[in-house]
Amino acid sequence: MGLSGSESTQALKKTVIIAIFSAVAVVLGIVEAQIPLSAMGLMPGAKLGFANIMILTCIYFLRGRDAFMLVILKTLLTAFILGTFSSLLFSLFGSLLSFAVMFLLMKGGRNRLSLIGVSIAGSIAHNIGQLAAASIVMGTSSILYYLPILLVTGIVTGIAVGYAVRYLVSSLSKISLFEEFLR
Amino acid sequence: MKRADMLLVAVVLIAALAFLVPRYIGTDAKGKELVANITVDGKHYRTVKLTKEEQTIDIRTERGYNILKVHDYGIEMYDADCPDKVCLGFGFISLPKQTIVCLPHRVLVEIASQTGEDEIDGIVR
């Protein structure tokens, strides 16, 4: 191939990072599916969004297309393992909107928003995306009844995910695998 | 957290409040008779009165079944064979505009007050 030694090493490293991240994201997705949030009086179907930790970290270290790959892998694999095909469309819609918002904010607003702000925006975008997909499929806007509560839960989970990403990024930055991807 | 983060949180909270406040001002539906409009796949399926007495509504489609239970002037999803069981998590609802959604089965239950809403005056029993 036309790749020089260091280029192909970097490509390999990226592939490894995406593979590890998607594995962790899928496990986080399975773990959070076991937490009965609706039993705690929260919006049914609401999730903690742990998998977002890996996606935001990936956007931080790698390029947009690598993170996009991770989003697709994570969403498909989680649907395969949990067998939630009926909601695949909704999670894909939410994940992609969330990814787009976080990616644009990381590119454009890095100096203004911290990782926590980006994570909050991502969580809210995820919720809005899912709700929008749901109201399109159901052909009704009455599901938007749940928009306010989803906005608030988006803030809370976004802050939690944001802090997790901050710790993860500072820890990963010390590992040699991530050295060349530091900004 | 940076200043812009705080600003983002504030804006979203205000937006959430802006959606919530009219809901509390507008609900003087106490004492009015409430009904639940059930929609399957975007088509109207049934409208049921929310009575004190218990009634069970069985929705069977090619996608699966949903069993709704009306009691104490409210309604709840009692059982369903959908894969995610999210609809069961909505619990008991009894206020206008509250909804229960079962996405895999495309079932939507929405509470409305019988007086005032135009779409349901035409029911003949």
Side-chain angles (χ1 to χ4, degrees):
Chain A
M1 312 291 276
L3 292 171
S4 72
S6 72
E7 266 175 342
S8 70
T9 317
Q10 201 189 30
L12 184 63
K13 277 184 181 172
K14 267 182 194 161
T15 312
V16 169
I17 291 173
I18 295 172
I20 295 173
F21 275 21
S22 42
V24 177
V26 168
V27 170
L28 287 175
I30 295 169
V31 167
E32 74 174 5
Q34 312 305 319
I35 303 172
L37 271 187
S38 55
M40 298 175 203
L42 275 170
M43 159 79 187
K47 297 234 176 72
L48 293 170
F50 287 153
N52 214 16
I53 297 172
M54 302 322 292
I55 292 164
L56 187 51
T57 311
C58 189
I59 296 177
Y60 183 87
F61 282 114
L62 304 182
R63 288 171 310 169
R65 68 183 87 158
D66 301 320
F68 180 76
M69 194 68 201
L70 172 64
V71 171
I72 301 289
L73 268 176
K74 165 242 149 191
T75 312
L76 283 179
L77 284 175
T78 313
F80 268 119
I81 292 171
L82 292 177
T84 49
F85 275 104
S86 54
S87 52
L88 177 65
L89 180 73
F90 306 104
S91 40
L92 202 60
F93 209 85
S95 304
L96 286 179
L97 192 67
S98 163
F99 161 73
V101 165
M102 291 196 294
F103 177 66
L104 291 175
L105 283 177
M106 286 293 269
K107 279 216 129 175
R110 256 186 83 80
N111 304 318
R112 271 159 277 161
L113 283 176
S114 71
L115 275 175
I116 293 156
V118 175
S119 157
I120 294 170
S123 290
I124 291 168
H126 189 270
N127 290 347
I128 290 177
Q130 279 204 319
L131 211 56
S135 63
I136 290 169
V137 169
M138 304 289 284
T140 172
S141 59
S142 54
I143 310 175
L144 296 180
Y145 181 86
Y146 293 98
L147 185 61
I149 179 94
L150 280 174
L151 289 179
V152 176
T153 50
I155 293 177
V156 176
T157 57
I159 290 174
V161 167
Y163 273 104
V165 172
R166 179 185 275 181
Y167 285 114
L168 189 60
V169 162
S170 71
S171 308
L172 289 181
S173 301
K174 292 172 195 143
I175 299 175
S176 61
L177 177 63
F178 290 89
E179 244 164 32
E180 60 193 281
F181 300 112
L182 280 177
R183 308 183 183 195
Chain B
M1 292 221 273
K2 286 191 189 175
R3 241 175 115 153
D5 298 349
M6 293 298 190
L7 196 70
L8 176 71
V9 171
V11 167
V12 173
L13 278 180
I14 289 168
L17 274 180
F19 278 108
L20 277 175
V21 168
R23 204 172 283 170
Y24 287 103
I25 296 168
T27 48
D28 50 345
K30 293 262 180 235
K32 276 186 197 164
E33 282 209 9
L34 296 178
V35 292
N37 291 318
I38 303 167
T39 315
V40 180
D41 228 344
K43 286 179 220 84
H44 181 257
Y45 179 81
R46 252 180 90 180
T47 298
V48 271
K49 267 191 184 169
L50 299 185
T51 51
K52 174 115 177 70
E53 299 79 52
E54 202 172 287
Q55 359 172 0
T56 318
I57 300 132
D58 216 351
I59 305 168
R60 272 169 209 281
T61 59
E62 69 269 26
R63 292 198 178 89
Y65 70 87
N66 290 73
I67 298 168
L68 286 155
K69 216 171 220 182
V70 173
H71 59 92
D72 299 302
Y73 307 109
I75 190 164
E76 71 177 314
M77 187 68 77
Y78 183 70
D79 192 19
D81 65 348
C82 56
D84 56 9
K85 308 281 183 207
V86 164
C87 52
L88 302 180
F90 283 85
F92 178 76
I93 59 167
S94 58
L95 292 173
K97 296 232 166 100
Q98 280 189 312
T99 52
I100 295 174
V101 189
C102 183
L103 278 177
H105 292 172
R106 308 276 189 272
V107 173
L108 173 78
V109 181
E110 186 182 13
I111 298 189
S113 49
Q114 195 161 34
T115 47
E117 297 291 327
D118 39 65
E119 50 188 88
I120 25 174
D121 337 74
I123 295 174
V124 178
R125 282 169 200 276

